[in-house]
Amino acid sequence: MLEAHNLTVSYGPHRALENVSVAVGKGEICVILGANGAGKTTLLKALAGLVSAGPASRWSIGGRSLAGMKPHDIVEKGIALVPEGRGIFGDLTVAENLQLGAYGRRARSHENANLERVLALFPKLAERRAQIARTMSGGEQQMVAIGRALMSNPDILMLDEPSLGLSPLLCVDLFKSLKTVGETGVGILLVEQNAKQSLAISDRGYLLENGAIIGEDTASALAADPAVQRAYLGDAGKRVTRASIVSPTGAIDLPDPLLLPSDPHALSEEAAVLAIRAGEIHSAYIATRRKDLARPSGFSTSVTPGLGSVADMARRASEIQMAHIRARRAAREVGSARPDPSKTPRDDINN
Ligand code: ATP
């Protein structure tokens, strides 16, 4: 259903993705595994139209080309992204966050059915519909983020590290829910550090390193592959890859990431220490960059030619959405003087 060929993305002189090709079928769950900085987030952003891809890049859904489309048009064609950090509107209620997911033309006529589907998948959201989203736990916020994406009536759901920051117990629930979503026919493209659990629910997987696909297979074959086990299924906290090995004194030449032992102490001591330290510096740098740029999470900070800064777009989108919410609230207040006896699920979330 989703097919991408030769996706190439550069940030200035840095080539983050090089001729990446992936596909996700109806109801299929595909996982992208890769080290920090491998290009996983960039791949999802490119498919969602949040970063611009090179001219030879081609991607389509149901045979309809998406190349060069704006992000909101890509949502209209049936692709929803749950970004890293969730990207929910913290000051809005659960109900309002879900309602915003159905803002697009594609979703409006299916709003009630999709709301029922989301509340059946996450019954807790029904109990908490009036709660301000930022006061919810991490796991509950993740439910809101996935719920909101499903409200856009997607054919393909893309998720960037959904298990990040969740307890092991909540991770089990999360992956179970994703499996259920897949069974409803929605294709899922999942980026995950939790290789073990994501391979367990996936049909297929891709290995992405240094911006290129270096392997793909069924999830069960990948889980059984000793090289994959060494690289991704060992102690995740100690995973060391070539992408991490950069220090102020220069790059350290290490073997292919897939052949690295998961225990860094099996490397020369100096290389292992530098690798871990460099990984930490890299993550801290990315975190600082993200924090410095005030924006609703989930919006890329990069500039898409012809669209202006994405931060500006995010600001404008927030203003439009807030105006929409205010109008809905005002309409509700007027409507409450004349209560409608026929209650629909949509009324339900608004109350
Ligand atoms: P992680 O698991 O750490 O989130 P990732 O696999 O998702 O990593 P990306 O975030 O896609 O990796 O980054 C791929 C490469 O592109 C990295 O080297 C990163 O530093 C670089 N990169 C990402 N975003 C930008 C940006 N806005 N400007 C410049 N370089 C960027």
Side-chain angles (χ1 to χ4, degrees):
M1 192 189 317
L2 171 70
E3 278 188 47
H5 299 285
N6 299 327
L7 276 188
T8 296
V9 174
S10 300
Y11 298 108
H14 176 64
R15 182 61 61 92
L17 281 188
E18 179 95 52
N19 291 327
V20 166
S21 298
V22 294
V24 184
K26 185 175 163 64
E28 190 179 32
I29 304 183
C30 290
V31 62
I32 310 277
L33 301 176
N36 293 119
K40 305 181 296 296
T41 298
T42 301
L43 172 59
L44 298 192
K45 281 183 176 174
L47 293 169
L50 290 165
V51 292
S52 48
S57 308
R58 295 274 167 267
W59 69 111
S60 61
I61 185 162
R64 293 184 303 273
S65 171
L66 302 172
M69 273 193 186
K70 292 176 181 162
H72 58 266
D73 289 329
I74 291 181
V75 175
E76 288 291 342
K77 296 289 179 223
I79 297 188
L81 170 65
V82 179
E84 191 181 341
R86 297 165 193 140
I88 60 174
F89 292 89
D91 290 330
L92 300 185
T93 64
V94 169
E96 288 165 342
N97 267 282
L98 294 180
Q99 201 177 313
L100 283 176
Y103 188 68
R105 283 189 308 280
R106 171 192 179 87
R108 276 179 214 161
S109 57
H110 303 283
E111 186 176 344
N112 288 347
N114 282 330
L115 180 61
E116 273 173 23
R117 190 162 63 135
V118 168
L119 297 183
L121 186 66
F122 301 121
K124 202 163 210 177
L125 297 187
E127 294 162 22
R128 306 293 185 90
R129 57 184 174 257
Q131 187 168 341
I132 296 294
R134 78 178 134 70
T135 65
M136 304 183 87
S137 72
E140 291 161 354
Q141 289 190 20
Q142 192 58 268
M143 291 177 202
V144 176
I146 296 172
R148 193 184 62 174
L150 290 174
M151 289 295 289
S152 73
N153 201 35
D155 290 327
I156 297 286
L157 178 65
M158 305 194 295
L159 302 105
D160 195 352
E161 310 260 12
S163 77
L164 209 66
L166 301 189
S167 70
L169 214 58
L170 282 177
C171 282
V172 171
D173 288 346
L174 169 77
F175 286 110
K176 240 191 248 168
S177 303
L178 293 181
K179 184 89 184 146
T180 307
V181 172
E183 283 162 5
T184 66
V186 175
I188 295 181
L189 186 59
L190 180 63
V191 158
E192 256 302 330
Q193 294 277 351
N194 189 332
K196 194 170 178 186
Q197 278 177 291
S198 52
L199 281 172
I201 62 154
S202 295
D203 299 297
R204 286 186 307 112
Y206 295 91
L207 308 178
L208 182 69
E209 291 298 346
N210 294 329
I213 298 288
I214 58 163
E216 68 174 279
D217 212 328
T218 61
S220 50
L222 288 175
D225 185 327
V228 173
Q229 287 172 0
R230 278 199 300 278
Y232 302 106
L233 296 169
D235 182 342
K238 290 180 178 172
R239 185 152 50 79
V240 178
T241 72
R242 189 204 304 250
S244 310
I245 316 299
V246 181
S247 80
T249 51
I252 296 170
D253 195 18
L254 283 171
D256 187 280
L258 279 184
L259 302 177
L260 284 174
S262 58
D263 178 2
H265 299 294
L267 301 170
S268 91
E269 201 176 328
E270 185 195 20
V273 169
L274 275 174
I276 291 166
R277 183 78 194 112
E280 286 167 359
I281 291 168
H282 180 76
S283 303
Y285 170 74
I286 300 254
T288 313
R289 286 284 312 270
R290 285 176 178 159
K291 216 179 284 166
D292 282 348
L293 293 156
R295 66 203 151 89
S297 54
F299 288 94
S300 155
T301 57
S302 50
V303 173
T304 306
L307 294 181
S309 120
V310 178
D312 286 343
M313 280 170 54
R315 204 171 309 114
R316 283 204 302 280
S318 292
E319 283 163 12
I320 292 167
Q321 285 169 336
M322 289 308 289
H324 175 71
I325 293 271
R326 274 196 293 273
R328 292 293 301 256
R329 279 179 177 158
R332 265 208 317 269
E333 275 157 25
V334 171
S336 64
R338 292 178 278 104
D340 182 353
S342 61
K343 214 168 173 241
T344 67
R346 179 169 176 151
D347 296 323
D348 213 16
I349 62 163
N350 290 335
N351 293 326

